Amino acid sequence: MKILRYLLFPIVPIYFMVTWLRNKLYDLGIKKSKSYDFPVICVGNLSAGGTGKTPMIEYLVTLLKIDYKVATLSRGYKRKTEGFVLADENAAADSIGDEPFQFYNKFKKDIAVAVDSNRQHGISKLQELQPKPEVVLLDDAYQHRKVKAGFNVLLTTFSNPYFKDIVLPTGDLREPRAGAKRANVIVVTKCPSDLNSIQKEVFINRINPEKHQHVFFSSIAYSETLYSETKTKTFDDLKSFTLVTGIANATPLVQFLNEQGLSFEHLNFSDHHDFTAQEIEQLSKKQHIVTTEKDFMRLKQYEVLKDKLYYLPIHVKIDDAQKFNKLIEAFVKR
């Protein structure tokens, strides 16, 4: 795969120019963006995935849902439906996508969870709800410039920051690095726990933020409890297990489990992997399966896995969370 990416390097300048020109047309107002008179917050990235958008959306939901009627709007990647879909008790990963299904399972009636590849249309449909949402969180919509979010949260990982990357197909960037200038906040995700102030300062200098931009650092916090549909366990209850991942970057999770001295085999699949009948049959022979919460949304439908399938929840820990929260809350209040 890496060799193919290098062979495709001659396409990089073409991709760069096409995406740069598209952004410039929006910047100049030649291509039109729609803005809104209520809070719309976009969480996204420049790279092609794996920066932690899902836990960041969940962080924002938790922050805002007590005081506001919140809705999430996602594309619904790999779902088998079309157009606008509002999650209800009949929702599944197939109908709305695994990440929105995770939002719905976690927050249920506290928020509205919707999917629509056309974000303008999705927002208009959300505004028809009674009561209508007071805040809309756009999941993975940084490049969806037909909507002009009032506040943009841009994520980039500590291990693979956008300023060290180039555009597709050789690199992982969906658009040139200059796109970062549209962000109000840049969050460096998946940071090591021992990150010090000097390292942060060096990183911020490399980002070289605009005067209006704020840079934050965050890390992943793992739960001490494993969850199934009906029960819980701890790792102490498992002598060994099979780790199943279908996410963009499983390295931080694998590293965490290794640091705990746990015994496991790792079956690593591509992001948003559609499990085949043969793969499910192979998994059914495993004694204990531990997976991510997102993968659990796709796997829990299989009855043969019901008594052996557990997921490990995660949440985001933001350095200077009070300042970050105040920026979000101040925007919403305005």
Side-chain angles (χ1 to χ4, degrees):
M1 184 64 179
K2 288 185 177 180
I3 295 175
L4 178 59
R5 282 191 160 205
Y6 286 123
L7 291 175
L8 292 173
F9 182 77
I11 301 175
V12 167
I14 300 172
Y15 186 96
F16 181 99
M17 286 305 301
V18 169
T19 52
W20 178 87
L21 179 60
R22 175 181 180 271
N23 279 327
K24 184 58 65 175
L25 292 175
Y26 276 109
D27 293 339
L28 295 173
I30 296 172
K31 290 178 76 71
K32 300 300 181 183
S33 298
K34 184 172 182 178
S35 56
Y36 298 86
D37 59 359
F38 54 87
V40 177
I41 301 174
C42 171
V43 174
N45 50 19
L46 297 187
S47 65
T51 57
K53 294 182 295 294
T54 300
M56 179 56 69
I57 289 286
E58 292 180 351
Y59 182 98
L60 294 174
V61 169
T62 302
L63 175 66
L64 298 171
K65 69 183 179 67
I66 295 175
D67 297 317
Y68 302 95
K69 296 179 178 66
V70 176
T72 65
L73 180 60
S74 310
R75 172 186 170 189
Y77 184 63
K78 280 199 171 183
R79 62 188 171 113
K80 296 179 180 179
T81 57
E82 295 182 357
F84 177 83
V85 179
L86 183 68
D88 58 19
E89 63 274 8
N90 297 315
D94 283 349
S95 63
I96 61 173
D98 48 17
E99 289 151 341
F101 190 40
Q102 179 175 322
F103 300 152
Y104 180 75
N105 270 265
K106 184 165 289 186
F107 299 106
K108 294 294 184 182
K109 302 299 182 182
D110 289 342
I111 66 171
V113 176
V115 295
D116 197 330
S117 59
N118 183 331
R119 304 308 203 285
Q120 276 193 20
H121 180 258
I123 292 174
S124 68
K125 294 294 287 184
L126 283 171
Q127 287 300 292
E128 293 176 5
L129 300 179
Q130 292 298 328
K132 68 175 62 175
E134 297 169 299
V135 182
V136 175
L137 304 177
L138 298 180
D139 175 28
D140 196 13
Y142 198 76
Q143 285 75 38
H144 195 94
R145 298 202 61 186
K146 289 183 179 180
V147 167
K148 186 176 182 180
F151 198 95
N152 284 293
V153 179
L154 178 67
L155 309 182
T156 187
T157 63
F158 181 82
S159 61
N160 188 29
Y162 67 82
F163 56 73
K164 288 185 178 180
D165 207 348
I166 62 174
V167 297
L168 294 162
T170 301
D172 285 321
L173 298 187
R174 297 169 171 176
E175 60 173 297
R177 301 172 192 171
K181 295 179 179 180
R182 300 196 305 274
N184 299 87
V185 161
I186 299 172
V187 181
V188 184
T189 63
K190 304 182 181 180
C191 295
S193 57
D194 58 351
L195 189 66
N196 60 48
S197 58
I198 296 175
Q199 290 173 301
K200 291 178 183 179
E201 185 176 349
V202 170
F203 213 94
I204 291 172
N205 288 337
R206 292 294 304 275
I207 289 175
N208 191 24
E210 302 291 310
K211 289 183 179 180
H212 71 279
Q213 293 179 318
H214 302 266
V215 179
F216 294 88
F217 295 84
S218 72
S219 57
I220 297 173
Y222 294 93
S223 171
E224 296 181 355
T225 305
L226 298 165
Y227 293 83
S228 74
E229 284 276 70
T230 58
K231 54 189 175 182
T232 62
K233 283 185 181 293
T234 66
F235 283 115
D236 291 337
D237 299 322
L238 309 178
K239 292 183 179 179
S240 63
F241 59 90
T242 299
L243 174 66
V244 177
T245 58
I247 55 178
N249 181 15
T251 301
L253 174 56
V254 173
Q255 183 177 347
F256 167 76
L257 296 176
N258 282 326
E259 289 172 352
Q260 308 308 304
L262 299 169
S263 174
F264 64 95
E265 65 167 334
H266 181 200
L267 301 181
N268 191 27
F269 299 90
S270 60
D271 196 16
H272 299 279
H273 179 70
D274 288 325
F275 291 91
T276 65
Q278 183 178 3
E279 289 166 345
I280 297 301
E281 182 181 358
Q282 291 173 343
L283 291 178
S284 70
K285 298 174 183 177
K286 307 296 182 182
Q287 185 176 7
H288 300 294
I289 299 171
V290 175
T291 189
T292 68
E293 193 168 359
K294 185 173 81 168
D295 293 314
F296 184 82
M297 296 302 132
R298 294 196 303 280
L299 289 168
K300 70 175 188 172
Q301 63 180 303
Y302 299 103
E303 190 67 25
V304 292
L305 304 181
K306 186 174 182 179
D307 295 328
K308 59 187 67 184
L309 183 66
Y310 295 84
Y311 70 88
L312 179 64
I314 63 172
H315 68 269
V316 172
K317 291 178 63 177
I318 300 178
D319 288 359
D320 204 355
Q322 187 175 11
K323 180 180 178 182
F324 178 85
N325 295 352
K326 283 183 176 180
L327 287 171
I328 298 296
E329 290 167 340
F331 164 71
V332 172
K333 288 178 182 177
R334 289 200 303 272

